[in-house]
Amino acid sequence: MGVIRFGVSVPEELLEKFDRIIEEKGYVNRSEAIRDMMRDFIVRHEWEQGDAEVAGTITLLYNPDEVDVVKELLDLQHEYIDEVVSSLHVHMDEHNCLEVVIVKGKASRIKEIADRLLSLKGVKHGKLVMTGTGKEPV
């Protein structure tokens, strides 16, 4: 795969802010930072299309004392057995548990799983983080 050079026109102030941020994050140069942003843009677009094969994590913070939340979390993971790859359960304290569910499948199906898990009564906070599967070059 070859490399293509192209020019981009941006306001000076925007470029100065960009340079400060990429330096803070440890990028060696602008090109690598822009490549990472382009990859992220492509992965997000594929996720939004719904048919793309994606992987991700669903992170949930919940109160295990809430009636039926633990049973419902497990039942939903079993319902989506083809998409749920693994999960990690951590006891944060006596009233808070953290669950990380690793998922892989069609983007629309993964979003459906996340919506169902995140909306359970007793879930205090959560987030779906998506990425590609690595099969497609980005």
Side-chain angles (χ1 to χ4, degrees), residues 4 16 35 37 42 58-59 63 71-72 82 95 102 109 114 117-118 121 123 136 138:
I4 298 173
E16 288 171 359
R35 281 191 288 269
M37 289 188 314
I42 291 167
I58 305 166
T59 303
N63 180 351
K71 180 183 181 322
E72 290 175 19
D82 292 335
H95 300 293
I102 301 168
R109 185 91 162 149
L117 288 170
L118 294 168
K121 185 175 181 182
V123 173
E136 296 291 322
V138 190

Side-chain angles (χ1 to χ4, degrees), residues 8-117:
V8 178
S9 299
V10 296
E12 185 176 347
E13 185 178 300
L14 179 62
L15 185 59
E16 288 171 359
K17 286 180 181 180
F18 183 71
D19 284 343
R20 279 196 305 272
I21 293 169
I22 66 173
E23 184 178 340
E24 285 175 19
K25 293 189 172 281
Y27 283 97
V28 178
N29 55 50
R30 290 180 188 146
S31 293
E32 193 56 43
I34 291 169
R35 281 191 288 269
D36 277 356
M37 289 188 314
M38 291 172 77
R39 288 183 194 108
D40 186 58
F41 184 79
I42 291 167
V43 167
R44 284 187 204 194
H45 177 74
E46 289 174 348
W47 172 32
E48 291 167 359
Q49 297 307 303
D51 289 337
E53 183 81 10
V54 297
T57 60
I58 305 166
T59 303
L60 308 158
L61 178 67
Y62 67 93
N63 180 351
D65 301 325
E66 189 70 44
V67 178
D68 294 331
V69 70
V70 175
K71 180 183 181 322
E72 290 175 19
L73 281 169
L74 289 173
D75 288 348
L76 276 171
Q77 289 182 51
H78 283 275
E79 184 178 332
Y80 293 99
I81 195 77
D82 292 335
E83 291 82 14
V84 173
V85 176
S86 184
S87 64
L88 171 68
H89 180 88
V90 179
H91 300 279
M92 303 301 284
D93 59 37
E94 61 274 4
H95 300 293
N96 293 287
C97 289
L98 181 74
E99 186 109 2
V100 179
V101 182
I102 301 168
V103 290
K104 185 174 114 180
K106 296 278 185 202
S108 57
R109 185 91 162 149
I110 300 305
K111 177 88 170 79
E112 176 185 312
I113 297 166
D115 288 345
R116 291 188 65 193
L117 288 170

